[in-house]
Amino acid sequence: MQIHVVKSKIHRVKVTGADLNYIGSITIDQDLMDAANIVEGEKVQIVNNNNGERLETYAIPGPRKSGEITLNGAAARKVAPGDILILITYAIMDIEDAKTFKPSLVFPNEANNLLN
């Protein structure tokens, strides 16, 4: 049997931008992506703590040390700059592997989204 498990989590990052006219996706500071083991194009679940919205899109890297968290395309309508998000990715694995798997959990500085 295979199950979905949390692979990566970036906990409590602040939205820095919302670009309705971009094609789509979420732009995430490359340092945060690396720390959370998120790769370009990977599906990301976004949970908005401010309004309860949940949505899925894909990750694209933003400039390192920028703290950028920008929702692009239609997803821009689901956030406002300053909203606090939780970003989650999942993996599918055998249940026995899942019992010992350790996800990458990242807790950036809430003031600027940078790693401490």
Side-chain angles (χ1 to χ4, degrees):
M1 175 188 318
Q2 292 192 316
I3 61 172
H4 293 255
V5 298
V6 173
K7 178 182 97 38
S8 309
K9 179 178 175 184
I10 302 175
H11 191 74
R12 295 187 62 84
V13 288
K14 190 181 300 182
V15 174
T16 60
D19 186 354
L20 184 61
N21 295 314
Y22 193 83
I23 294 172
S25 69
I26 181 171
T27 304
I28 304 170
D29 178 319
Q30 181 72 61
D31 287 337
L32 293 174
M33 287 179 64
D34 290 348
N37 196 27
I38 297 172
V39 299
E40 184 173 357
E42 185 170 357
K43 183 167 135 180
V44 178
Q45 181 182 39
I46 300 162
V47 180
N48 188 327
N49 283 4
N50 289 76
N51 62 20
E53 290 282 355
R54 288 178 172 256
L55 62 115
E56 293 178 340
T57 189
Y58 61 94
I60 60 172
R64 289 186 184 280
K65 298 188 184 359
S66 66
E68 182 175 359
I69 301 291
T70 300
L71 277 290
N72 303 306
R77 294 197 182 273
K78 303 289 187 179
V79 301
D83 282 359
I84 300 297
L85 307 179
I86 298 170
L87 310 178
I88 309 163
T89 67
Y90 299 89
I92 299 171
M93 62 184 68
D94 291 328
I95 194 164
E96 291 305 314
D97 292 333
K99 290 177 181 179
T100 58
F101 177 77
K102 301 292 183 224
S104 298
L105 306 176
V106 178
F107 300 88
N109 182 319
E110 288 187 41
N112 59 14
N113 293 339
L114 298 179
L115 298 172
N116 294 328

